[in-house]
Amino acid sequence: MHLLSLFFPKRCVGCGRLGLYFCDVCKTSIEPIQSSETICPTCGKSAMGGKTHPKCKTNTSLDGLISFFHYRGVIKQAIKSIKYRYVTDVVQELIKLCVYNNGTIKQCNHHVIIPIPLHSSRLKFRGFNQAEKLGEQLSTTLHMQFRTDVLKRTRKTTPQVEMRHRIDRLQNMKHVFSCNNITMRQWNYQTIILFDDVWTTGATLRSACSELKKSGVKEVWGMTIAR
Ligand SMILES: [Zn+2]
Ligand SMILES: [Zn+2]
């Protein structure tokens, strides 16, 4: 028995049952996003393969969106629990679920995963960035490159959930991120996968994508655990 499990016994993040982080009962209630449910990251309407509709494309828009699960049940609880208490094993198991539940996701070593950064003050307060932990694990599992030195969060924002109006949310996300252009000139970036834990309004990923594209990146896809 692992020494740590004496003090922090493994409990299901969904129902609290002892033994596993994702018990067999909760696992069966997980709802993967089906291929018929993928959406365009610009308009939010149905789109094949999560590819942005040609008519929704701009110079700074995302090229597509991949989300693994519906943000409900045990998945929602797992993401929340990682946000408040970082447990390596939960991160690993959640990423395993993502990869094994999705037949279309391929190992791709010329893609780069970049997690959505937290503002330095929030990082200090929380101690870690959950998008970074999850993204890093995903990149290891899929043999993709992983970079945290490209994108920076330069402005602190009000959490999106606290903002009721769409206009507020759009204003809130303006000029939030900046790119390290020196770093970007030094590496030959191809497709960038912008990673976040949850897609809600998409404002965060859209804003970060727009900065990357203004810096010359040709293709940017969004990827989230849940939606
Ligand atoms: Zn359970
Ligand atoms: Zn669209």
Side-chain angles (χ1 to χ4, degrees), residues 39-47 51-57:
I39 58 163
C40 160
T42 301
C43 70
K45 293 189 182 125
S46 168
K51 253 192 167 174
T52 305
H53 296 128
K55 66 170 170 62
C56 293
K57 258 196 183 161

Short mmCIF file of all heavy atoms in Angstrom, two decimals, residues 39-47 51-57, ligand 2:
data_model
loop_
_atom_site.label_atom_id
_atom_site.label_comp_id
_atom_site.label_asym_id
_atom_site.label_seq_id
_atom_site.Cartn_x
_atom_site.Cartn_y
_atom_site.Cartn_z
N ILE A 39 -19.03 21.02 -32.34
CA ILE A 39 -19.51 22.35 -32.72
C ILE A 39 -18.40 23.24 -33.29
O ILE A 39 -17.22 23.03 -33.04
CB ILE A 39 -20.15 23.10 -31.52
CG1 ILE A 39 -19.15 23.23 -30.36
CG2 ILE A 39 -21.44 22.42 -31.08
CD1 ILE A 39 -19.52 24.27 -29.32
N CYS A 40 -18.84 24.25 -34.02
CA CYS A 40 -17.95 25.29 -34.54
C CYS A 40 -17.62 26.24 -33.38
O CYS A 40 -18.53 26.71 -32.70
CB CYS A 40 -18.67 26.03 -35.66
SG CYS A 40 -18.02 27.66 -36.07
N PRO A 41 -16.33 26.52 -33.13
CA PRO A 41 -15.98 27.36 -31.98
C PRO A 41 -16.34 28.84 -32.15
O PRO A 41 -16.30 29.60 -31.20
CB PRO A 41 -14.46 27.19 -31.86
CG PRO A 41 -14.00 26.74 -33.19
CD PRO A 41 -15.15 25.99 -33.81
N THR A 42 -16.73 29.24 -33.35
CA THR A 42 -17.12 30.63 -33.54
C THR A 42 -18.61 30.84 -33.28
O THR A 42 -18.99 31.71 -32.50
CB THR A 42 -16.77 31.11 -34.98
OG1 THR A 42 -15.36 30.95 -35.17
CG2 THR A 42 -17.14 32.56 -35.19
N CYS A 43 -19.45 30.02 -33.91
CA CYS A 43 -20.90 30.27 -33.77
C CYS A 43 -21.57 29.30 -32.80
O CYS A 43 -22.71 29.50 -32.41
CB CYS A 43 -21.58 30.21 -35.13
SG CYS A 43 -21.63 28.55 -35.83
N GLY A 44 -20.88 28.24 -32.43
CA GLY A 44 -21.44 27.31 -31.46
C GLY A 44 -22.45 26.33 -32.05
O GLY A 44 -23.03 25.52 -31.34
N LYS A 45 -22.64 26.41 -33.37
CA LYS A 45 -23.59 25.48 -33.99
C LYS A 45 -22.85 24.23 -34.46
O LYS A 45 -21.63 24.23 -34.59
CB LYS A 45 -24.28 26.16 -35.17
CG LYS A 45 -25.19 27.29 -34.71
CD LYS A 45 -26.04 27.81 -35.85
CE LYS A 45 -26.91 28.97 -35.34
NZ LYS A 45 -26.73 30.17 -36.14
N SER A 46 -23.63 23.22 -34.73
CA SER A 46 -23.09 21.93 -35.13
C SER A 46 -22.11 22.06 -36.31
O SER A 46 -22.38 22.78 -37.28
CB SER A 46 -24.28 21.04 -35.50
OG SER A 46 -23.81 19.90 -36.16
N ALA A 47 -20.97 21.38 -36.20
CA ALA A 47 -19.98 21.43 -37.27
C ALA A 47 -19.23 20.11 -37.32
O ALA A 47 -18.81 19.60 -36.28
CB ALA A 47 -19.00 22.57 -37.05
N LYS A 51 -14.74 21.44 -36.85
CA LYS A 51 -14.04 22.40 -37.72
C LYS A 51 -14.86 23.68 -37.85
O LYS A 51 -16.06 23.62 -38.10
CB LYS A 51 -13.84 21.78 -39.11
CG LYS A 51 -12.41 21.37 -39.37
CD LYS A 51 -12.24 21.05 -40.83
CE LYS A 51 -10.75 20.96 -41.16
NZ LYS A 51 -10.52 20.51 -42.52
N THR A 52 -14.19 24.80 -37.72
CA THR A 52 -14.86 26.09 -37.87
C THR A 52 -15.48 26.20 -39.26
O THR A 52 -14.82 25.89 -40.26
CB THR A 52 -13.84 27.23 -37.68
OG1 THR A 52 -13.20 27.03 -36.41
CG2 THR A 52 -14.51 28.60 -37.69
N HIS A 53 -16.75 26.63 -39.31
CA HIS A 53 -17.42 26.79 -40.61
C HIS A 53 -16.63 27.79 -41.46
O HIS A 53 -16.18 28.80 -40.93
CB HIS A 53 -18.83 27.37 -40.42
CG HIS A 53 -19.76 26.48 -39.66
ND1 HIS A 53 -20.47 26.92 -38.55
CD2 HIS A 53 -20.07 25.17 -39.82
CE1 HIS A 53 -21.20 25.91 -38.08
NE2 HIS A 53 -20.97 24.85 -38.83
N PRO A 54 -16.50 27.54 -42.75
CA PRO A 54 -15.79 28.50 -43.62
C PRO A 54 -16.33 29.93 -43.46
O PRO A 54 -15.57 30.87 -43.41
CB PRO A 54 -16.06 27.96 -45.03
CG PRO A 54 -16.27 26.48 -44.82
CD PRO A 54 -16.95 26.34 -43.48
N LYS A 55 -17.65 30.06 -43.33
CA LYS A 55 -18.22 31.40 -43.21
C LYS A 55 -17.97 32.04 -41.84
O LYS A 55 -18.17 33.23 -41.64
CB LYS A 55 -19.72 31.38 -43.52
CG LYS A 55 -20.56 30.61 -42.50
CD LYS A 55 -22.06 30.83 -42.74
CE LYS A 55 -22.96 29.91 -41.93
NZ LYS A 55 -22.88 30.03 -40.48
N CYS A 56 -17.55 31.24 -40.88
CA CYS A 56 -17.28 31.76 -39.53
C CYS A 56 -15.81 32.09 -39.33
O CYS A 56 -15.40 32.57 -38.28
CB CYS A 56 -17.70 30.75 -38.47
SG CYS A 56 -19.47 30.47 -38.39
N LYS A 57 -15.00 31.80 -40.32
CA LYS A 57 -13.56 32.00 -40.19
C LYS A 57 -13.15 33.45 -40.37
O LYS A 57 -13.64 34.15 -41.24
CB LYS A 57 -12.84 31.15 -41.25
CG LYS A 57 -12.26 29.91 -40.63
CD LYS A 57 -11.25 29.25 -41.51
CE LYS A 57 -10.82 27.99 -40.78
NZ LYS A 57 -10.20 27.02 -41.62
ZN ZN B 2 -19.80 28.51 -37.29
#
